[in-house]
Amino acid sequence: MTMGDGAAKLNNHQVFDVSIGMPGQNPSTCFDDDGRPKRTGTVWTASAHIITAVIGSGVLSLAWAIAQLGWIAGPAVMFLFSFVIYYTSTLLADCYRSGDPISGKRNYTYMDAVRSNLGGAKVKFCGIIQYVNLFGVAIGYTIAASISMMAVKRSNCFHKSGGKNPCHMSSNPYMIGFGIAEILFSQIPDFDQIWWLSIVAAVMSFTYSSIGLALGIVQVAANKTFKGSFTGISIGSVTETQKIWRSFQALGDIAFAYSFSIILIEIQDTVRSPPAESKTMKKASFISIAVTTVFYMLCGCMGYAAFGDDAPGNLLTGFGFYNPFWLLDIANVAIVIHLVGAYQVYCQPLFAFIEKWASQTWPDSDFITNEIKLKVPGFRPYNLNLFRLVWRTSFVIATTLISMLLPFFNDIVGLLGALGFWPLTVYFPIEMYIKQKKVPKWSTKWICLQMLSMACLVISIAAAAGSIAGVVLDLKVYRPFKTSY
């Protein structure tokens, strides 16, 4: 049954048989108003998806980011980002339905929302930015996961040698191992089927963030003082030019740590109604951003208080902490498990986009459309699609190879945050809100929204410049596929 057929039958309130319901059952109990299977997401599953996406590897670079900005600017910038992202996410949540917030046409993806509200060339611009960013996030997460896997091995090696062996090792085998795991998980067909993976990942993110926070508190207690300064890392430790570039890069790191607008519409499409999906999503955004902001403030500030100007780029793998090594191992294993889930949360929208495009372009191709039922003992039959198997496997292999070529955690994180922040988190939500609510041009509200957009554009450009400068410096001493830590 096609989506159109389902919608037509729903509109006529006919009683018919469906494969997922009982014979003669009213279709409204099995399907939503668009003819798709009933959505079951709640405030809590949506919050879990957001927390999985937000409290990611970005939390580990926050102590370093605050070290560049100092005690005044660092927390202020983090609070500012949290406010902007919450505000623009509420604007974006209203764009899930066009017209009426309860019965209007659904927009299933971010691109659909832009197409319905803005149209034209902006749709292609949005698509390019969104999917390049998702591709980049997959690379960033592969790098972060490999570093955490190596940290487990290195901390044990370091402990055994009593600190005498630097325990350098290649990151390549660990990236390959992470890639193999992602190939398996990427075969989960749809976004709404990974809710359990999101909940596991969200628990893991709290686990390693809490360990990082606890170790920071213990380190501060051992130091008997709060390290750091009001203005951040001092000139002398770095040059004036480095101070500027690093401060800009810190903005990108913080933007990356908070960014989730890129998949907000896709998360909202898993939420049931009533109440209106936008109402549920706004509540989920508030809960998750409030929780992550508290965590970020604590983790970033305690990490900076513990190490001051020497705060490592990655709090749990930069060997700011050496003991207790078993606790560090638990934290880094939790990071890897979390990143396995976060990778899928980010990549599922990209997978779905390519598969939808392929099925529309070649509707008669058996390779693309046919599904083979595989019986799995103890589980429901699995629908194997050959195109999905080949395309998703190729995607994971590509991200793994690029990660092996560019293993610069902090610089990549900052660059991704900078590239995605302004267009996807600020520009499009504001423009769609103005169009949808018919905000008069040059009105006070219109001017304030445009000023917010322009300010965030300046921040994005500065952050991108800082991160690119960092990558250029890394490349001077870099050999492809030969990186070791």
Side-chain angles (χ1 to χ4, degrees):
M1 183 183 69
T2 66
M3 190 182 83
D5 295 337
K9 291 180 181 180
L10 278 170
N11 290 335
N12 293 329
H13 299 287
Q14 294 175 352
V15 177
F16 67 113
D17 294 344
V18 289
S19 59
I20 63 170
M22 296 295 291
Q25 187 174 339
N26 190 306
S28 64
T29 62
C30 299
F31 291 88
D32 273 326
D33 56 0
D34 58 347
R36 293 193 177 188
K38 203 83 174 167
R39 292 161 176 83
T40 57
T42 64
V43 167
W44 301 112
T45 60
S47 297
H49 281 315
I50 295 170
I51 290 169
T52 300
V54 178
I55 303 186
S57 55
V59 70
L60 303 172
S61 64
L62 290 178
W64 180 89
I66 292 179
Q68 312 313 308
L69 299 170
W71 278 121
I72 297 175
V77 167
M78 286 175 65
F79 183 77
L80 186 66
F81 270 98
S82 68
F83 172 76
V84 169
I85 285 171
Y86 170 67
Y87 178 67
T88 56
S89 71
T90 62
L91 302 184
L92 191 55
D94 284 331
C95 298
Y96 173 65
R97 285 188 185 266
S98 299
D100 190 273
I102 296 172
S103 59
K105 174 185 165 289
R106 294 174 186 264
N107 297 307
Y108 301 113
T109 66
Y110 198 125
M111 268 183 78
D112 287 344
V114 175
R115 185 178 289 108
S116 296
N117 289 283
L118 301 175
K122 289 180 180 177
V123 180
K124 289 183 179 178
F125 174 63
C126 168
I128 291 167
I129 293 290
Q130 185 187 11
Y131 295 122
V132 165
N133 206 264
L134 288 173
F135 185 75
V137 167
I139 293 167
Y141 280 0
T142 304
I143 294 168
S146 71
I147 291 172
S148 287
M149 285 188 271
M150 282 191 296
V152 173
K153 184 85 172 172
R154 286 185 67 198
S155 69
N156 293 334
C157 166
F158 203 78
H159 180 73
K160 282 180 183 175
S161 68
K164 294 175 183 176
N165 185 350
C167 303
H168 291 302
M169 59 189 67
S170 171
S171 60
N172 292 345
Y174 301 94
M175 290 187 185
I176 292 168
F178 182 78
I180 291 169
E182 291 305 338
I183 287 172
L184 296 174
F185 280 107
S186 69
Q187 296 310 311
I188 298 172
D190 299 313
F191 195 81
D192 60 350
Q193 293 177 23
I194 62 168
W195 61 268
W196 60 272
L197 193 57
S198 277
I199 290 172
V200 170
V203 170
M204 291 297 110
S205 67
F206 281 120
T207 300
Y208 68 73
S209 298
S210 300
I211 291 172
L213 172 60
L215 289 172
I217 292 169
V218 170
Q219 187 70 40
V220 169
N223 295 340
K224 296 181 180 177
T225 184
F226 276 70
K227 291 188 176 183
S229 64
F230 288 126
T231 56
I233 193 165
S234 55
I235 307 295
S237 301
V238 293
T239 64
E240 286 185 24
T241 306
Q242 284 176 321
K243 169 76 175 176
I244 293 168
W245 289 129
R246 283 179 166 215
S247 297
F248 288 165
Q249 188 183 332
L251 297 176
D253 282 8
I254 295 171
F256 178 80
Y258 271 110
S259 184
F260 76 95
S261 301
I262 191 171
I263 54 169
L264 184 143
I265 297 286
E266 284 82 352
I267 292 173
Q268 195 166 340
D269 192 43
T270 67
V271 172
R272 69 184 175 209
S273 65
E277 297 90 352
S278 59
K279 189 175 180 181
T280 302
M281 202 63 197
K282 287 174 185 178
K283 199 180 289 185
S285 295
F286 178 79
I287 291 168
S288 51
I289 291 173
V291 168
T292 53
T293 299
V294 170
F295 253 79
Y296 281 3
M297 287 290 187
L298 289 170
C299 292
C301 292
M302 291 311 299
Y304 183 41
F307 298 108
D309 290 355
D310 296 325
N314 186 321
L315 191 62
L316 292 173
T317 63
F319 284 80
F321 301 112
Y322 292 100
N323 286 302
F325 78 98
W326 57 269
L327 191 60
L328 284 171
D329 288 353
I330 292 171
N332 281 300
V333 168
I335 291 171
V336 175
I337 295 170
H338 168 258
L339 290 173
V340 167
Y343 186 105
Q344 291 303 316
V345 169
Y346 271 98
C347 291
Q348 284 287 342
L350 177 54
F351 294 158
F353 171 75
I354 294 295
E355 285 152 25
K356 181 183 175 184
W357 170 80
S359 63
Q360 288 174 344
T361 307
W362 299 286
D364 300 322
S365 169
D366 290 342
F367 174 69
I368 291 169
T369 58
N370 275 12
E371 293 197 339
I372 304 162
K373 279 195 180 297
L374 297 179
K375 290 184 179 178
V376 184
F379 295 93
R380 288 181 180 179
Y382 175 75
N383 293 326
L384 175 67
N385 177 278
L386 292 177
F387 175 70
R388 184 171 64 230
L389 176 67
V390 172
W391 139 243
R392 295 189 182 190
T393 301
S394 302
F395 174 88
V396 176
I397 291 170
T399 58
T400 305
L401 286 172
I402 295 171
S403 301
M404 291 160 69
L405 278 168
L406 297 170
F408 316 132
F409 176 72
N410 265 63
D411 300 326
I412 296 296
V413 160
L415 187 58
L416 290 172
L419 291 176
F421 175 65
W422 176 72
L424 298 173
T425 303
V426 182
Y427 174 74
F428 282 118
I430 285 176
E431 291 300 308
M432 286 191 286
Y433 176 81
I434 288 171
K435 188 76 178 286
Q436 197 172 55
K437 301 297 181 185
K438 297 180 172 61
V439 178
K441 201 170 186 179
W442 303 113
S443 64
T444 304
K445 189 167 191 177
W446 185 90
I447 291 169
C448 289
L449 288 170
Q450 295 300 335
M451 285 173 66
L452 173 63
S453 183
M454 285 299 102
C456 292
L457 173 59
V458 171
I459 290 170
S460 277
I461 291 170
S467 298
I468 290 167
V471 171
V472 169
L473 285 173
D474 286 335
L475 287 172
K476 288 181 179 178
V477 292
Y478 164 72
R479 288 183 301 161
F481 299 108
K482 297 288 184 181
T483 302
S484 64
Y485 292 85

